[in-house]
Structures are given as C-alpha cells and as structure tokens.
Amino acid sequence: MSKGRKLVGLALGGGAVRGLAHLGVLTVLEREGIPIDCVSGTSIGSLIGAAYCAGIKTQEMKEIAARIGWRDLVGPTWPVQGFVTLAKMERWMTALAGDLIFDELATPFAVMATDVESGQPVVLREGRLAPAVRASCSVPGIMAPVKMNGRLLGDGGVTDNVPVAAVRALGADYVIGVDVCRPAPRRRWGPLGAGLTALETLVRHAGEGVRRADCLISPDLTGLSYVRFSRREALIAQGARATEKKLPLIWAALSAHDGS
C-alpha cells in the first residue's frame, strides 16, 4: 500500500457487449490520475479487467474493440451443456496477452465465476488467466461451462455481478464498482420487455455489489443492446460520462485519506 492513501479497487460488472462501457470508465480514471491498485471482474468485466491488469493500454483496448465481433469469440459446440463455446475467445485472449497466470499480472486481479452444479460463487485468483475469464463469461444454458479444478464453472453474473467483495479481498480499501446492467423500461416490448427488465434487476443485484461499492458508476445505457457491437462508441461514451459525474465523490474520498 502506498503510504498516506487508501488502496483503490475497481470491480467491473458483467453485461455482455454493454461492458464496453468499462473502457470509458478506465479512460476517465486514467486521465484524472486516479490510481487503480487492484481489479476484479465478472463476465465481460473479467475480460476487460484481465487485459488491463496484463498491461494492455486502454487506447489499445478501444482499438481492439473497434474490430472485434462475436465471430472472434464464439463457436458452435455439441449441444450437451451449451449451444456455443467460448473456446475461440480463450485462444484469442491468449494470442493477445500471452498464456499468462494470475501471478504474472502487473496489477492484482480476481475473476468471479459460478459453480453451475452447486450454484456457489467461485473467486479465481490462481492458475491460468484465459480459462478463468472464459469460465466467467460462459452464460449457463447458452455457452458450455469450463471444467476447472474438478468443477464446472460458468458466468459469475449468476452469483456476483459487480464483484466488490472479491476486490476487497485483494486489499482494496476504497472500491469503485461499475454496473452495466442498470434496468430500463421497455414498454413497447410488452410482457417480454417486463420480463427482461426483471431479469436485469435480478442479475444486477446478484452478490449485492451495487450496494456495497463505495462508489457505484452506473451508466445510462437505455436503448443500447447487450449483443450489438456496432454501438461500441456510444457505450464507451456513456461509461465516460457516468464516470465524469462521480469524480467529485471519488476525489473527496481519496483526499480525505491523503496523508500528504
């Protein structure tokens, strides 16, 4: 820990393509010189968090986001435990950052997953990074789970969508949580819209990270899809805009514990 200040942790939440808003958050935090001492991530938050902790610059991540699509990440599989697999994403990530283990990361990092058989949350902090991220992103019933340490692991959003507790366990004193599952009414969709909004609410509150973060950044992503990469620029912009609004709160909290 740096003398005279609290350790800052960043908990990046799940939300499929909406998670590109995390890049806007990182852009503003870096521009303002706000330190990020440790990171945790769920689902897409684990992918972006892994890249960040591996030392990939935010600008480079934006450039990668500008050309990536589902075809780079998802492939078909025999439909026993899922209809598709994220094995392609694991290979893509390994090619991008190397076949890293957690201990090799520049910034301490934790990945949130779920044991799909017991329903228990699982925090991954050791071993190979890419399979852990793949597990965290694998939505049960759609994407095949990943077998790790004798367990079948799937999307961490089932049990802890904004993994605040996981980043506190890494030593964070002040946690900035990023929630990209903020519900929005879809009145034109009728019953389907009401059901989707209810599902968003359930996922958003899984693990209670939205309540336990010291600062919660929750971009307004109304009208922005969970699956369309074509709206990437709007997602990044909304993440940045929401972070700008929280800067006074963050600086006040950090200044209050500045021993200089």
Side-chain angles (χ1 to χ4, degrees), residues 159-173:
T159 50
D160 195 348
N161 200 53
V162 181
V164 170
V167 79
R168 287 201 195 279
L170 291 176
D173 303 300

Side-chain angles (χ1 to χ4, degrees), residues 55-142:
I56 297 175
K57 302 297 183 184
T58 303
Q59 182 56 41
E60 183 179 352
M61 284 192 267
K62 289 181 182 178
E63 293 168 2
I64 293 168
R67 58 180 185 267
I68 197 171
W70 285 113
R71 67 184 181 279
D72 302 300
L73 307 175
V74 174
T77 188
W78 189 254
V80 175
Q81 297 174 318
F83 294 99
V84 294
T85 172
L86 290 177
K88 287 177 70 174
M89 187 194 78
E90 181 179 340
R91 293 192 295 269
W92 172 84
M93 182 179 171
T94 300
L96 176 68
D99 193 9
L100 299 174
I101 62 173
F102 280 83
D103 287 345
E104 294 175 320
L105 296 173
T107 302
F109 182 51
V111 168
M112 177 59 60
T114 300
D115 185 319
V116 298
E117 294 180 321
S118 70
Q120 294 299 308
V122 178
V123 180
L124 301 170
R125 293 174 50 182
E126 298 178 340
R128 293 178 60 225
L129 179 66
V133 171
R134 174 184 167 190
S136 183
C137 294
S138 296
V139 179
I142 299 175

Side-chain angles (χ1 to χ4, degrees), residues 5 17 28 56 65 72 82 96 118-119 128-129 165 168 173 175 178 181 214-215 220 230 233 243 245 250-252:
R5 72 168 178 86
V17 173
V28 173
I56 297 175
D72 302 300
L96 176 68
S118 70
R128 293 178 60 225
L129 179 66
R168 287 201 195 279
D173 303 300
V175 177
V178 186
C181 276
D214 298 298
C215 171
D220 182 0
S230 60
E233 291 184 6
T243 308
K245 293 178 180 179
I250 296 171
W251 278 124

